[in-house]
Amino acid sequence: MKKIIGMAAAGAMLLALAGCSGGGGSTSGEGEAPATEDLIVGFSQVGAESGWRAANTKDIQAAFEEAGIELKFSDAQQKQENQIKAIRSYIQQGVDVIAFSPVVESGWDTVLKEAKDADIPVVLTDRSVDSADTSLYVSFLGSDFVEEGKKAGEWVTEEFADADAVKIIQLEGTTGSAPAIDRAEGFADVIGSDPKFEVVASQTGDFTRSGGKQVTEALLKSNPDVDLIYAHNDDMGLGAIEAIEAAGLTPGVDIKIVTVDAVKDGMQALADGKINFIVECSPLLGKQLVEIVEKVVAGEEVEPRIVTEETTFTQEQAIEALPDRQY
Amino acid sequence: MNPTVTRALKHRLFWPIVTLLGLLVLNVAVRPAFFSIRLQDGHLFGSLVDILRNGAPTLLVALGMTLVIATRGIDLSVGAVVAISGALACSIIAGSADPNSPTTVLVAVGISIVLALILGAWNGFLVSVIGVQPIIATLILMTAGRGLAMLITEGQIVTVNSAPYKVIGGGYWLALPASIIIALGMFAIAAVLTRKTALGLLIESVGINPQASRIAGVRSRSIIWMVYIFSGLCAGIAGLMISSNVTAADANNAGLWIEMDAILAVVIGGTSLAGGRYSLGGTLIGAAIIQTLTTTVYTVGIAPEITLVFKALVVIIVCLLQSPALQTRLGSLRRRPDRRRPDRRRPVTTSTGGVLS
């Protein structure tokens, strides 16, 4: 019993020490507004689960190197506890700004409060947190998925302006995921106002090529006269292309395809004329993140929600953009 | 009651077959042209052809799983092996000078299959030589394997443009999908090897009692080792099919949860997870039910939010109908109640609680 008490006491002392060093670190950074060269930013990435994410990491690292700001980078390998550990260690090291892409939405209040108590501003990138207290972070930089769905819908209304009736198949992302919900909502908002557009079937393809292919195969048989396929990401669109070709039809001509993401394989299909239109969901937010960091440190006001600079691609634009596509 | 009807009712595959037919009837009711098959670009084209083609990988993996389960084991690593073999084959083809040359494809396929055999042998080694429990032994590769696949593809989706490779999962031989011909070929080989020789009997005896079998002179260790190697081989070929079907290797998603589908196919087919008696024909029906279920969801237009509930309901109904306890109860309603014990030859099939993907 004595031993346990002893250990607990030692643990408490360690914690107290850690608290001290954390506090000390942050005060040293507070006094004078540091020049860009002395800035240290801690960044905690979700992981390396996709080509999109890899491009995101690379872009952020390159942007900070170019700006001459020291970036401490850690990979959470899809685990929230790793991310919390990384943020705590950044607090202890007394970095100037912490940026991270939350693995999950909830459970951040405690660690963000610790950062706030240490006067370290936090910037969220790509994904948001569901905390009720918005003072815990200064800004959220990321894509607006609803806007992406709207852009896809707007292209469709223009493309089919002269048509009398348009039958649409929607390939949804993983059921319940934020991009899937928001991209469907944005799209429906735009085309919903016109009764000539009819979504004849909407099924999930789980953001994968094989999912997109299998769903399209089955749906094409029940709806052979479909005019357009709207896929929530490029990969499902690429699967749909294979299913359309197997049915003896020409993708991009007999059935038009519009997707979201603009990864390299999708852009290639767009340039080849198999996809008609892609709305970009860009992982390249490094430059904007650097700007936010510089503003925050200089004490300027930052918008609480900043949307990534994103564009759209037609087939002609894809041919031009393809050679420089990084991801 | 007519004796033929009674025998049919008592047959172990009666309820699975009824379920399969029921699903097909549901599809036809929703879309009368469901059974229509036409010739498109020189190959058969229709919903039934899709079911066969898309069901081939599950059937293959379930085939390997049946023999593993018959020895009272389980192989959770098949999904990871699927990802690895697809990733390796696609990376080799994508990195070669001429992706369309049949030699390149044969080399890539050969290397991937050898690796799948090695991975199967690793599982078999852990289970039969080291004596690790099968669920733990294969869990190691299940977790680590996907990471290995990610290493091979460097976290990217590797796209290949290779006509000969595309044949394996998306192509056609004699107007039929090549994948189902390969899967049924493997199935026939397994059936002949285990049912026309004593091998099947030995596998069952190891599953019922490994010690007793060993004392009786059965080489339990080699037999257990062999079934895991066979399961690895099946998963490896399934991985080639899945990546070939979409001409890309996706280390994150290829074969995700296929182990659960395979176990489910085995269980629906009436093979007990407790080992011993197994039914290859049952696995065939089980795999067909799982794929038809997926197609039914799309044809009937069930909303994605309730898809899993629908699938779960069908699976629960099949498992309940097959359970001896329920069958005796139903039987006693029909007949005069008698005190005979229920037929214990086939143990209770229970739901695996698996993820239905």
Side-chain angles (χ1 to χ4, degrees), chain B residues 59-60 62-64 66-67 182-201 203-204 226 230 234 278-284:
Chain B
L59 171 60
L60 256 184
L63 174 65
T66 310
L67 297 185
I182 296 173
L184 288 178
M186 290 287 291
F187 186 86
I189 292 171
V192 169
L193 274 182
T194 60
R195 289 310 189 199
K196 293 292 166 197
T197 69
L199 193 58
L201 188 70
I203 290 175
E204 288 182 346
M226 190 202 67
F230 182 69
C234 288
Y278 66 93
S279 160
L280 291 179
T283 299
L284 185 66

Coordinates of all heavy atoms in Angstrom, one line a residue, chain B residues 59-60 62-64 66-67 182-201 203-204 226 230 234 278-284:
Chain B
L59 N -16.3 -16.3 -53.0 CA -16.4 -17.7 -53.1 C -15.0 -18.4 -52.9 O -14.9 -19.3 -52.1 CB -17.0 -18.1 -54.5 CG -16.9 -19.6 -54.8 CD1 -17.7 -20.4 -53.7 CD2 -17.4 -19.9 -56.2
L60 N -14.0 -17.8 -53.5 CA -12.6 -18.3 -53.4 C -12.2 -18.3 -51.9 O -11.7 -19.2 -51.4 CB -11.7 -17.5 -54.3 CG -11.2 -18.1 -55.6 CD1 -10.2 -17.2 -56.2 CD2 -10.6 -19.5 -55.3
A62 N -14.0 -18.0 -49.3 CA -14.8 -18.8 -48.4 C -14.4 -20.3 -48.6 O -14.5 -21.1 -47.7 CB -16.3 -18.6 -48.8
L63 N -13.9 -20.6 -49.8 CA -13.5 -22.0 -50.0 C -12.3 -22.4 -49.1 O -12.3 -23.4 -48.5 CB -13.1 -22.2 -51.5 CG -12.5 -23.5 -52.0 CD1 -13.5 -24.6 -51.9 CD2 -12.1 -23.3 -53.4
G64 N -11.3 -21.5 -49.1 CA -10.2 -21.7 -48.3 C -10.6 -21.7 -46.8 O -10.1 -22.5 -46.0
T66 N -13.4 -22.6 -45.5 CA -14.2 -23.8 -45.2 C -13.3 -24.9 -44.6 O -13.5 -25.4 -43.6 CB -14.9 -24.4 -46.4 OG1 -15.7 -23.3 -47.0 CG2 -15.9 -25.4 -46.0
L67 N -12.2 -25.1 -45.3 CA -11.2 -26.1 -44.9 C -10.5 -25.7 -43.6 O -10.3 -26.6 -42.7 CB -10.2 -26.4 -46.0 CG -10.8 -26.9 -47.3 CD1 -9.7 -27.3 -48.3 CD2 -11.7 -28.2 -47.1
I182 N -12.3 -19.4 -62.9 CA -11.1 -19.7 -62.0 C -11.6 -20.1 -60.7 O -11.1 -21.2 -60.2 CB -10.2 -18.4 -61.9 CG1 -9.6 -18.0 -63.2 CG2 -9.1 -18.6 -60.8 CD1 -8.9 -16.6 -63.1
A183 N -12.6 -19.4 -60.1 CA -13.1 -19.8 -58.8 C -13.7 -21.2 -58.8 O -13.4 -22.0 -57.9 CB -14.1 -18.7 -58.3
L184 N -14.5 -21.5 -59.8 CA -15.2 -22.8 -59.9 C -14.1 -23.9 -60.1 O -14.2 -25.0 -59.6 CB -16.3 -22.8 -60.9 CG -17.5 -22.0 -60.5 CD1 -18.5 -22.1 -61.6 CD2 -18.1 -22.6 -59.2
G185 N -13.1 -23.5 -60.9 CA -12.0 -24.5 -61.1 C -11.3 -24.8 -59.8 O -11.1 -26.0 -59.5
M186 N -11.0 -23.8 -59.0 CA -10.4 -24.1 -57.7 C -11.3 -24.9 -56.8 O -10.9 -25.8 -56.1 CB -10.1 -22.8 -57.0 CG -9.0 -21.9 -57.6 SD -7.4 -22.6 -57.2 CE -7.2 -22.4 -55.5
F187 N -12.6 -24.6 -56.9 CA -13.6 -25.3 -56.1 C -13.6 -26.8 -56.5 O -13.6 -27.6 -55.7 CB -15.0 -24.6 -56.4 CG -16.1 -25.2 -55.6 CD1 -16.3 -24.6 -54.3 CD2 -16.9 -26.2 -56.0 CE1 -17.3 -25.1 -53.5 CE2 -17.9 -26.7 -55.2 CZ -18.1 -26.1 -54.0
A188 N -13.6 -27.0 -57.8 CA -13.6 -28.4 -58.3 C -12.4 -29.2 -57.8 O -12.5 -30.3 -57.4 CB -13.7 -28.4 -59.8
I189 N -11.2 -28.5 -57.9 CA -10.0 -29.2 -57.5 C -10.1 -29.5 -56.0 O -9.8 -30.6 -55.6 CB -8.8 -28.2 -57.7 CG1 -8.5 -28.1 -59.2 CG2 -7.5 -28.8 -57.0 CD1 -7.5 -27.0 -59.6
A190 N -10.6 -28.5 -55.2 CA -10.7 -28.8 -53.7 C -11.7 -29.9 -53.5 O -11.4 -30.8 -52.6 CB -11.1 -27.5 -53.0
A191 N -12.8 -29.9 -54.2 CA -13.8 -30.9 -54.0 C -13.2 -32.3 -54.3 O -13.4 -33.3 -53.6 CB -15.0 -30.6 -54.8
V192 N -12.5 -32.4 -55.5 CA -12.0 -33.7 -55.9 C -10.9 -34.2 -54.9 O -10.9 -35.3 -54.4 CB -11.4 -33.7 -57.3 CG1 -10.6 -34.9 -57.6 CG2 -12.5 -33.5 -58.3
L193 N -10.0 -33.3 -54.5 CA -8.9 -33.6 -53.6 C -9.4 -34.1 -52.2 O -8.9 -35.0 -51.6 CB -8.0 -32.4 -53.4 CG -6.9 -32.3 -54.5 CD1 -6.0 -31.1 -54.1 CD2 -6.1 -33.6 -54.6
T194 N -10.5 -33.4 -51.7 CA -10.9 -33.7 -50.4 C -12.0 -34.8 -50.3 O -12.1 -35.5 -49.3 CB -11.4 -32.5 -49.6 OG1 -12.5 -32.0 -50.3 CG2 -10.3 -31.5 -49.5
R195 N -12.8 -34.9 -51.4 CA -13.9 -35.8 -51.3 C -13.6 -37.1 -52.0 O -14.3 -38.1 -51.7 CB -15.2 -35.2 -51.9 CG -15.8 -34.1 -51.0 CD -15.9 -34.5 -49.5 NE -16.7 -33.6 -48.7 CZ -16.7 -33.5 -47.4 NH1 -15.9 -34.4 -46.7 NH2 -17.4 -32.7 -46.7
K196 N -12.7 -37.1 -53.0 CA -12.4 -38.4 -53.7 C -11.2 -39.1 -53.1 O -10.9 -40.2 -53.5 CB -12.2 -38.1 -55.2 CG -13.4 -37.6 -56.0 CD -14.5 -38.6 -56.1 CE -15.8 -38.0 -56.6 NZ -16.9 -39.0 -56.3
T197 N -10.6 -38.4 -52.2 CA -9.5 -39.1 -51.5 C -9.9 -39.1 -50.0 O -10.9 -38.6 -49.6 CB -8.1 -38.4 -51.7 OG1 -8.2 -37.1 -51.0 CG2 -7.8 -38.1 -53.1
A198 N -9.0 -39.6 -49.2 CA -9.2 -39.6 -47.7 C -9.0 -38.3 -47.1 O -9.3 -38.1 -45.9 CB -8.4 -40.7 -47.1
L199 N -8.5 -37.3 -47.9 CA -8.0 -36.1 -47.3 C -9.1 -35.4 -46.5 O -8.9 -34.9 -45.4 CB -7.5 -35.1 -48.4 CG -6.7 -33.9 -48.0 CD1 -5.5 -34.3 -47.1 CD2 -6.3 -33.1 -49.2
G200 N -10.3 -35.3 -47.1 CA -11.5 -34.7 -46.4 C -11.8 -35.3 -45.1 O -12.0 -34.6 -44.1
L201 N -11.7 -36.6 -45.1 CA -12.0 -37.4 -43.8 C -10.9 -37.0 -42.8 O -11.2 -36.8 -41.6 CB -11.9 -38.9 -44.1 CG -12.3 -39.8 -43.0 CD1 -13.8 -39.7 -42.8 CD2 -12.0 -41.2 -43.3
I203 N -9.1 -34.2 -42.6 CA -9.4 -32.9 -42.2 C -10.4 -32.8 -41.1 O -10.3 -32.2 -40.1 CB -9.7 -32.0 -43.4 CG1 -8.5 -31.8 -44.3 CG2 -10.3 -30.6 -42.9 CD1 -8.8 -31.0 -45.5
E204 N -11.5 -33.6 -41.4 CA -12.7 -33.6 -40.4 C -12.2 -34.2 -39.1 O -12.6 -33.7 -38.0 CB -13.8 -34.4 -41.0 CG -14.5 -33.6 -42.1 CD -15.7 -34.3 -42.7 OE1 -15.9 -35.5 -42.4 OE2 -16.5 -33.6 -43.4
M226 N -1.3 -27.4 -44.1 CA -1.7 -27.4 -45.5 C -3.0 -26.5 -45.7 O -3.1 -25.8 -46.7 CB -2.0 -28.8 -45.9 CG -2.2 -29.0 -47.4 SD -3.2 -30.5 -47.6 CE -4.7 -30.1 -46.9
F230 N -3.5 -23.4 -48.2 CA -4.5 -23.4 -49.3 C -5.4 -22.1 -49.1 O -5.7 -21.4 -50.1 CB -5.4 -24.6 -49.1 CG -6.5 -24.7 -50.2 CD1 -6.2 -24.9 -51.5 CD2 -7.8 -24.5 -49.8 CE1 -7.1 -25.0 -52.5 CE2 -8.8 -24.6 -50.8 CZ -8.5 -24.8 -52.1
C234 N -6.0 -19.2 -51.9 CA -7.3 -18.7 -52.4 C -7.4 -17.2 -52.2 O -7.9 -16.5 -53.1 CB -8.4 -19.4 -51.6 SG -8.6 -21.1 -52.0
Y278 N -17.8 -30.5 -42.8 CA -17.9 -29.3 -43.5 C -18.6 -29.6 -44.8 O -18.7 -30.8 -45.3 CB -16.5 -28.7 -43.8 CG -15.6 -29.6 -44.7 CD1 -15.6 -29.4 -46.1 CD2 -14.8 -30.5 -44.2 CE1 -14.8 -30.1 -46.9 CE2 -14.0 -31.3 -45.0 CZ -14.0 -31.1 -46.3 OH -13.2 -31.9 -47.1
S279 N -19.1 -28.6 -45.5 CA -19.8 -28.8 -46.7 C -19.4 -27.7 -47.7 O -19.6 -26.5 -47.6 CB -21.3 -28.6 -46.5 OG -22.0 -28.3 -47.7
L280 N -18.6 -28.2 -48.8 CA -18.2 -27.3 -49.8 C -19.4 -26.7 -50.6 O -19.4 -25.6 -51.0 CB -17.2 -28.0 -50.7 CG -15.8 -28.3 -50.1 CD1 -15.0 -29.0 -51.1 CD2 -15.1 -27.1 -49.7
G281 N -20.3 -27.6 -50.9 CA -21.5 -27.2 -51.6 C -22.3 -26.1 -50.9 O -22.7 -25.1 -51.4
G282 N -22.3 -26.2 -49.5 CA -23.0 -25.2 -48.7 C -22.3 -23.9 -48.8 O -22.9 -22.9 -48.9
T283 N -20.9 -23.9 -48.8 CA -20.2 -22.7 -49.0 C -20.5 -22.0 -50.3 O -20.6 -20.8 -50.4 CB -18.7 -23.0 -48.9 OG1 -18.4 -23.6 -47.6 CG2 -17.8 -21.7 -49.1
L284 N -20.6 -22.8 -51.3 CA -20.9 -22.3 -52.7 C -22.3 -21.5 -52.6 O -22.4 -20.4 -53.1 CB -21.0 -23.4 -53.7 CG -21.3 -23.1 -55.1 CD1 -20.1 -22.4 -55.7 CD2 -21.5 -24.4 -56.0

